[in-house]
Amino acid sequence: MEEFLEAYLVAARLFALLHLVLSLVVFGLLTSFVFWKPGPGEKALAELDSRSQHLRGVIGLFLLVGIAGTFYALWVAKDKLGAPPPLPTYAETSDGPVAVRNAPASIGAVLAPAFPVGLVGLALTFGFSLVLDFVEHAKRARLVRQTEASSQQTEALVGTAHSSLQDLVV
C-alpha cells in the first residue's frame, strides 16, 4: 500500500493534483445539489434530471484523468525502458547457448505509476457516483411525495367545485 501511494502521489503527482481539484469541484457541486430545493410543478423533475446529468458528466472526468494518467505513465515507461535490442544475445551454459534479453532491472519500478492513477480515478468515479445516486434517489422520492400531495389537493378541489356546480344546476 505504501508503494501504491508513493507511486500515485510522487511519480504521478500531476494527475493526483488533477484528481484533488476535480474532487473539490465535485464536492462543491454535490453540496449545491444536496441543498437545492426543487420548485413545484412539472419542471422540477426536468431540472432534477438536468442537474443530475451534469454532475454525472463531471464525475466521469475522474475516469478520464485516470486513463490519461495511465497512458502518460506508460509513455514515460517506454522512454525509460528504451528500445529493445533487435536480436537477443546468447550466453553459453552447460545446456548450450541460451538467449538472454537485456531488460531493465525492474520493469515494475518503471511501470509503477501507471496502475495507481487509473485505479484511483476508477475508485473516485465509483464513490462519487454512489453518493450522487443516494442524493438523487432522496430528491426523487421527495418530488414524488410532493406531487402526490399536490394531486390529492387538486382532486379535492375539483371534487368540491363539481359538487358546487351540481348544487347550482339542481
Side-chain angles (χ1 to χ4, degrees), residues 12 15 18 31 34 37 42 50-51 66 69 73 87 89 100 141 145 154 170:
F15 296 97
L18 286 173
T31 303
V34 166
K37 303 275 190 218
E42 299 173 4
S50 174
R51 286 175 176 256
L87 295 173
T89 56
V100 177
R145 284 193 307 269
T154 304
V170 176

Side-chain angles (χ1 to χ4, degrees), residues 66-82:
I67 291 169
T70 299
F71 283 136
Y72 175 76
L74 290 174
W75 183 266
V76 169
K78 175 197 69 83
D79 291 341
K80 287 181 182 177
L81 290 174

Side-chain angles (χ1 to χ4, degrees), residues 76-164:
V76 169
K78 175 197 69 83
D79 291 341
K80 287 181 182 177
L81 290 174
L87 295 173
T89 56
Y90 291 93
E92 289 294 326
T93 63
S94 60
D95 295 334
V98 175
V100 177
R101 293 222 176 245
N102 297 328
S106 175
I107 292 177
V110 174
L111 295 176
F115 178 68
V117 178
L119 187 64
V120 169
L122 185 63
L124 287 170
T125 301
F126 184 69
F128 277 114
S129 291
L130 283 177
V131 171
L132 176 61
D133 287 343
F134 176 74
V135 172
E136 183 182 4
H137 177 73
K139 294 269 186 203
R140 282 188 191 281
R142 186 177 300 134
L143 274 175
V144 166
R145 284 193 307 269
Q146 287 175 351
T147 304
E148 287 174 355
S150 175
S151 67
Q152 288 173 356
Q153 290 173 352
T154 304
E155 286 177 21
L157 183 63
V158 168
T160 305
H162 184 265
S163 64
S164 297

